[in-house]
Amino acid sequence: MNPADLGLPVDVPSTALFTDHYELTMLQAALANGTADRRSVFEVFTRRLPEGRRYGVVGGTGRVLDAVENFRFDGAVLEFLRERAVVDMRTLDWLASYRFSGDIWGYPEGEVYFPGSPLLRVEGSFAECVLLETVVLSILNHDSAIAAAASRMASAAGGRPLIEMGARRTHELAAVAASRAAYVGGFASTSDLAAGFRYGIPTVGTSAHAFTLLHDSERDAFTAQVASLGGGTTLLVDTYDVAEAVRTAVEVAGPGLGAVRIDSGDLLLVAHRVRQQLDELGATGTRIVVTSDLDEYAIASLAAAPVDAYGVGTQLVTGSGHPTCSMVYKLVARAQSADPKAPLVPVAKKASGGKTSVGGRKWAARRVDAEGVAEAEVVGTGPVPAALANRQLLVELVKAGEVVAREPLEAARERHREARAGLPLSATQLSRGEAVIPTEYA
């Protein structure tokens, strides 16, 4: 069963209006002056990484492919545009039959990237490519920010599992996308059932403080939870007194209690005390899960603590201080005329304030040292050097309008694990610094 077939609000029937007004007015003007059919190349890239980040993570590629497929102007959408006089009738007629028929190449999801990396290359007529700008950037900027934060947290966790718990801290649809991106970045599960339903991500969860407060005593609450969910459940032990709660939890569930969760206080100190108490009570196999507004720095500070898993919410779904990657979608080459055989001409914005771009249809490859560790991101517009031919990063995603690279989410997750492992060790340091490898232009 495809969850999208059920029409749940985690999907939309059309992505055509996930765009900015000026995309359509540019289209109208281009149709009027005969430039709309010029073959064009747009690229997505970022000029810099968020401050302090050593690498970026590509997130959302699969969602971009879905968005391109669903970019259709149906009757209701066209009527909305007509009533608002957004564009003229000629343009509306053109939009009625819109189907992206070009090619898209890009870094596969889960791959790492650096300033100037051509993360996505969209090729086709100017008219069909320009309309995709906003929805592509909306997805990639959001999902890549979450995936990068998740990756840093996964590195800080050192192999201990991470639970995504941020649904109540963001928009309900963004929460589903955030769960997906977090899974790519290294999280093991999510509390969001919509994300589990839509993307097959493992879901977890037991109870909140409200369940304990509902009952006349903590013992009554624990007894009810264990009776319903079994002794392998996770009991929340910080509603009242932690030490008393741990004692009660083991008495109720027995030494086979699955886990206890700590959601407040000095987590480092409390975790050590709880571990000692559990061991003394014979619950040596009971795991400790900590939550409470964690970020990668808090997770790293708990590296020496007897913590078995982390639950992360707010800081994850907001990109841990960097909710966007500042990616842009720029025209880098266009034909001299509408003739399909007309050669491409490199074009680039020249402006002050660091907003310049590099023209030309680009390739990208990652050069590695003798040990197989990345040492440079190489971006070029001419022939690919023979030494880099087998190190190219862009893969074909859409060919003549048809998606050719859809893959399981697990593939993106594994790709990220391998890509991060191929970076210099300093990539995982949380201290502020520049990109872990330089970008070189060939």
Side-chain angles (χ1 to χ4, degrees):
M1 178 185 67
N2 181 0
D5 294 339
L6 299 182
L8 295 179
V10 294
D11 283 303
V12 293
S14 170
T15 53
L17 291 185
F18 289 172
T19 191
D20 287 307
H21 187 113
Y22 77 172
E23 310 291 6
L24 299 188
T25 53
M26 282 192 289
L27 169 65
Q28 176 177 308
L31 287 171
N33 77 350
T35 54
D37 290 330
R38 286 191 178 187
R39 189 160 55 102
S40 300
V41 180
F42 286 81
E43 288 177 354
V44 175
F45 63 92
T46 185
R47 297 182 175 95
R48 65 192 67 82
L49 296 177
E51 184 180 357
R53 298 291 168 90
R54 315 303 296 277
Y55 62 93
V57 180
V58 179
T61 307
R63 295 208 309 120
V64 166
L65 299 181
D66 292 341
V68 171
E69 280 192 331
N70 292 330
F71 207 93
R72 305 283 187 268
F73 292 83
D74 59 22
V77 169
L78 292 170
E79 181 60 20
F80 165 78
L81 296 175
R82 186 193 66 77
E83 289 178 351
R84 298 293 181 92
V86 175
V87 290
D88 60 20
M89 288 304 300
R90 177 186 179 184
T91 305
L92 289 173
D93 290 341
W94 188 93
L95 291 173
S97 60
Y98 178 87
R99 299 290 186 274
F100 180 74
S101 63
D103 302 327
I104 300 178
W105 290 69
Y107 281 40
E109 190 158 18
E111 183 58 83
V112 297
Y113 70 87
F114 300 91
S117 296
L119 303 178
L120 204 70
R121 192 175 71 217
V122 182
E123 304 182 34
S125 70
F126 175 84
E128 63 181 341
C129 293
V130 74
L131 295 183
L132 299 178
E133 176 180 4
T134 303
V135 69
V136 165
L137 289 179
S138 175
I139 293 171
L140 291 181
N141 269 311
H142 174 269
D143 289 24
S144 297
I146 306 304
S151 178
R152 284 163 61 86
M153 292 173 187
S155 292
R160 297 169 177 173
L162 292 155
I163 307 163
E164 186 279 310
M165 303 170 63
R168 64 192 61 190
R169 298 290 187 250
T170 188
H171 185 280
E172 66 272 19
L173 300 187
V176 180
S179 294
R180 183 186 183 282
Y183 193 65
V184 170
F187 273 58
S189 56
T190 179
S191 65
D192 192 329
L193 289 175
F197 183 84
R198 178 67 179 86
Y199 296 115
I201 302 168
T203 59
V204 297
T206 52
S207 68
H209 292 102
F211 187 76
T212 300
L213 296 170
L214 169 69
H215 293 81
D216 295 335
S217 70
E218 199 164 46
R219 180 177 294 274
D220 288 347
F222 290 172
T223 299
Q225 184 173 327
V226 170
S228 177
L229 302 178
T233 191
T234 299
L235 296 176
L236 181 59
V237 296
D238 72 327
T239 304
Y240 305 117
D241 179 81
V242 173
E244 181 60 31
V246 170
R247 185 178 304 108
T248 302
V250 176
E251 288 176 358
V252 170
L257 172 63
V260 295
R261 178 162 76 95
I262 307 167
D263 188 50
S264 59
D266 183 336
L267 297 178
L268 179 61
L269 176 63
V270 175
H272 277 288
R273 288 178 174 173
V274 168
R275 181 74 272 159
Q276 180 179 353
Q277 186 180 8
L278 287 170
D279 292 345
E280 290 173 349
L281 293 171
T284 56
T286 299
R287 296 172 296 112
I288 297 175
V289 180
V290 297
T291 53
S292 186
D293 207 24
L294 300 176
D295 62 10
E296 59 266 49
Y297 299 101
I299 292 169
S301 73
L302 294 168
V307 172
D308 298 285
Y310 306 91
V312 188
T314 303
Q315 294 301 318
L316 175 67
V317 299
T318 57
S320 195
H322 297 289
T324 181
C325 300
S326 299
M327 293 176 185
V328 294
Y329 183 99
K330 296 297 181 184
L331 181 67
V332 296
R334 50 88 175 167
Q336 293 177 314
S337 71
D339 185 342
K341 297 180 180 179
L344 289 173
V345 178
V347 295
K349 177 180 178 179
K350 297 186 183 201
S352 59
K355 283 197 169 183
T356 58
S357 57
V358 178
R361 183 179 183 272
K362 300 174 193 68
W363 51 264
R366 188 161 300 142
R367 191 173 69 239
V368 299
D369 63 18
E371 303 298 323
V373 177
E375 63 179 14
E377 193 89 336
V378 185
V379 178
T381 57
V384 180
L388 295 175
N390 294 327
R391 302 292 307 175
Q392 294 190 70
L393 294 163
L394 279 80
V395 299
E396 192 170 31
L397 301 172
V398 176
K399 182 175 183 179
E402 297 295 325
V403 173
V404 296
R406 191 165 272 113
E407 62 181 6
L409 195 57
E410 291 289 347
R413 176 181 169 85
E414 177 60 20
R415 180 180 296 114
H416 177 63
R417 188 193 66 78
E418 294 176 356
R420 189 175 62 198
L423 296 177
L425 288 176
S426 57
T428 59
Q429 293 177 348
L430 297 182
S431 57
R432 293 186 179 277
E434 299 299 320
V436 71
I437 61 173
T439 301
E440 300 177 358
Y441 290 93

